[in-house]
Amino acid sequence: MESHPSLTDRPVRIPPIVWFLGLGLIAALIAIFVFNVAINTVAYYGFFALMIGSHFFMHGSHGGHGGHAGHQSGAASDPDEANKDKNEHAGHSGGCH
């Protein structure tokens, strides 16, 4: 009889966005209560940090363009045409746009 590990034996994995938001909240509370920074100032800079941080998470797996199926309007019937498209995209810097 085979032994199957139960699903509860798997460690809980916390998503990176939760770590990011948790650390931001801790930093905001330290700024307010330890350093007596005004709440408006903490909220102002927190908003900018959230926008910059969310941009990184939004494009986290986007750098390699590996999962983009929508770049081609149709399947290339000629294999040379398909290789041309691959080579054309392989030379760019790997950025988002």
Side-chain angles (χ1 to χ4, degrees):
M1 180 171 216
E2 292 182 27
S3 173
H4 296 289
S6 75
L7 295 176
T8 58
D9 290 342
R10 196 175 349 164
V12 176
R13 183 172 171 149
I14 300 172
I17 190 74
V18 174
W19 286 107
F20 178 74
L21 293 175
L23 290 174
L25 179 63
I26 290 171
L29 292 173
I30 289 173
I32 292 169
F33 292 112
V34 175
F35 296 110
N36 293 325
V37 178
I39 294 174
N40 289 339
T41 304
V42 171
Y44 181 76
Y45 285 110
F47 177 72
F48 283 115
L50 180 68
M51 292 299 111
I52 292 169
S54 65
H55 187 82
F56 288 132
F57 284 107
M58 183 172 35
H59 296 291
S61 63
H62 190 75
H65 289 277
H68 280 260
H71 273 298
Q72 296 178 353
S73 60
S77 60
D78 187 9
D80 293 331
E81 194 69 30
N83 288 334
K84 178 183 160 200
D85 287 339
K86 285 181 188 176
N87 292 334
E88 183 179 311
H89 288 294
H92 71 76
S93 64
C96 178
H97 300 282

